[in-house]
Amino acid sequence: MKKLILQMQMSVDGFVGADEGHHWQLWEWGDDSAWDEELKRDFNAVFACIDTILLSRKMAEEGYLTHWSNAARKFPKDPFYAFAQRIVEAEKVVASGKLEASRWERTRLVSGDLPREVAALKQGEGGDIAVFGGAGFAAALIAAGVVDEFQLFINPVVVGSGRRIFDKGGFGRLKLLGSKPYACGMVVSRYAPAH
């Protein structure tokens, strides 16, 4: 059975977005990245087991797919951007009760009934399913209890206030799968629900 892997950048104090508009992530998805080489390699390794990407309607409409398609074309030989090519090649699934048809290549729509749709996706063959946010969508998946693995990229910053993803899910215990610090200051911690 496929796993649903939620990957999020987060501050040390647990925020995934800042209220004040501070630039707080070591890499904010532009061309300029403060990630070290080992982190870049490990990030790309995650994509080796991914063949499906689940997106919210909002994230798709805000240009996630166009952004990474452009990055794949712009940096075809850069090993760091190998993940962008994987995003292009992967099946994309957009959860939405509002869209009538997909406007994106290799992308299909499913209803907004997250527990049902995620259960159906997990039954498929092949690699795992990745989710990269946004905050509201991630919180809804957590509240629905459908996340099998959390990959939290903890940036070396305290944001103070902002958006969180664990507010709606209620109490839950997690099992640490692994944690790794990087030279750039990032710590990647992986957890699974402790059932």
Side-chain angles (χ1 to χ4, degrees):
M1 181 182 275
K2 294 181 171 210
K3 288 191 307 187
L4 181 72
I5 300 169
L6 173 63
Q7 188 181 87
M8 297 290 291
Q9 290 208 54
M10 187 175 278
S11 66
V12 170
D13 53 344
F15 294 99
V16 297
D19 281 341
E20 301 296 320
H22 298 292
H23 296 286
W24 60 274
Q25 297 177 3
L26 291 177
W27 179 39
E28 297 201 7
W29 312 116
D31 295 348
D32 189 27
S33 169
W35 286 19
D36 59 74
E37 293 306 311
E38 185 178 17
L39 176 56
K40 290 176 180 180
R41 276 193 311 274
D42 289 353
F43 179 71
N44 269 287
V46 170
F47 285 84
C49 71
I50 301 294
D51 72 359
T52 305
I53 298 171
L54 178 62
L55 298 168
S56 67
R57 173 194 54 81
K58 185 176 177 184
M59 197 157 180
E61 288 183 328
E62 287 177 355
Y64 176 90
L65 299 173
T66 302
H67 176 78
W68 293 120
S69 293
N70 290 341
R73 279 194 299 281
K74 187 175 179 180
F75 303 105
K77 304 255 189 270
D78 186 335
F80 175 40
Y81 284 94
F83 74 89
Q85 187 60 44
R86 290 286 299 143
I87 290 172
V88 170
E89 294 165 358
E91 175 188 16
K92 273 78 67 182
V93 178
V94 176
S96 173
K98 296 180 179 179
L99 293 176
E100 305 257 336
S102 172
R103 302 189 296 266
W104 307 279
E105 191 176 322
R106 252 192 287 279
T107 303
R108 65 185 173 93
L109 300 178
V110 295
S111 79
D113 183 340
L114 293 176
R116 185 185 74 219
E117 298 296 354
V118 170
L121 287 173
K122 287 181 181 182
Q123 295 303 315
E125 295 294 319
D128 290 328
I129 307 154
V131 178
F132 306 106
F137 189 55
L141 291 166
I142 294 166
V146 297
V147 177
D148 299 302
E149 182 177 326
F150 298 92
Q151 294 181 357
L152 305 176
F153 284 60
I154 311 300
N155 287 260
V157 65
V158 174
V159 172
S161 66
R163 291 178 301 287
R164 296 184 182 271
I165 58 172
F166 291 102
D167 297 28
K168 299 175 185 166
F171 179 81
R173 294 195 186 279
L174 300 176
K175 174 177 64 173
L176 181 66
L177 301 175
S179 189
K180 186 173 180 180
Y182 292 90
C184 64
M186 184 80 78
V187 175
V188 177
S189 294
R190 296 172 45 244
Y191 296 92
H195 297 297

